[in-house]
Amino acid sequence: MRIWLFKTEPDAFSLDDLQAAPDGISGWDGVRNYQARNRLRDEVSNGDRVLIYHSSCKVPAIVGEAEVVSDAYPDPSQFIIGGAGEDPRSHPDNPRWYQVDVRYRRHFPEPLSLATIRDYVEFADMELVTRPRLSIQQITDRQYQQILALCGIDEPRGAGGAA
């Protein structure tokens, strides 16, 4: 199991939206960066953990957690003519963009702001600090455990949180 951080703009799709989706499951669509696409397609797997990060908002922060519940598959929004995710260079026989399905796990009692993350030397190597524009980021187990602690989650190593 790997741990990822997925960035989203809460005005477009928030953790609350994921929670409200049928069965708390939604496709993570609209990724239009090649490195993020490659990670979704080649590295993100069913069962992986996902930290949800709200970006482009008043207080950017890690706000909760989800779980990947599918392997990658072509993002259908790339084929919707006139749609926000349309890519006229993409074709169903050779799609450019991929998505995975994620299931809501929990909101964190205390969101962890980007400003707070930057205050901790332990996060100096975190992609959110070193490569902040990338929308799909790897999280180490050490970083994950520190994030949980700072967000008020008391969870034994390797244990799953309540859905």
Side-chain angles (χ1 to χ4, degrees):
M1 176 194 75
R2 289 186 174 176
I3 305 160
W4 301 93
L5 181 141
F6 285 12
K7 293 173 69 176
T8 184
E9 296 178 10
D11 289 346
F13 189 81
S14 70
L15 186 59
D16 291 334
D17 295 325
L18 179 59
Q19 183 180 21
D23 298 321
I25 298 173
S26 180
W28 200 265
D29 63 358
V31 173
R32 295 298 184 267
N33 169 282
Y34 285 106
Q35 185 172 8
R37 184 263 334 248
N38 292 348
R39 285 183 172 178
L40 274 178
R41 184 189 64 199
D42 304 334
E43 299 177 49
V44 175
S45 299
N46 192 346
D48 286 354
R49 296 269 177 98
V50 176
L51 297 174
I52 303 297
Y53 178 82
H54 283 174
S55 66
S56 300
C57 55
K58 185 175 181 179
V59 181
I62 298 171
V63 296
E65 190 171 14
E67 177 182 0
V68 177
V69 294
S70 76
D71 289 324
Y73 60 94
D75 177 347
S77 70
Q78 67 192 307
F79 307 120
I80 300 172
I81 296 171
E86 178 190 11
D87 184 343
R89 298 169 296 171
S90 191
H91 189 275
D93 294 335
N94 188 22
R96 286 183 163 202
W97 308 110
Y98 287 78
Q99 70 179 47
V100 295
D101 292 338
V102 295
R103 176 186 297 129
Y104 172 84
R105 289 192 74 225
R106 61 183 163 193
H107 280 77
F108 288 157
E110 300 171 30
L112 183 60
S113 73
L114 178 58
T116 300
I117 290 168
R118 287 183 174 149
D119 286 343
Y120 284 82
V121 68
E122 296 93 333
F123 296 125
D125 61 342
M126 189 174 177
E127 285 187 320
L128 189 60
V129 174
T130 64
R131 306 185 69 202
R133 292 186 51 83
L134 192 58
S135 64
I136 305 294
Q137 303 181 1
Q138 295 177 328
I139 300 290
T140 67
D141 184 60
R142 172 187 57 84
Q143 292 165 345
Y144 178 69
Q145 295 301 325
Q146 290 171 323
I147 289 165
L148 291 183
L150 289 169
C151 290
I153 305 291
D154 184 23
E155 182 175 291
R157 230 179 198 353

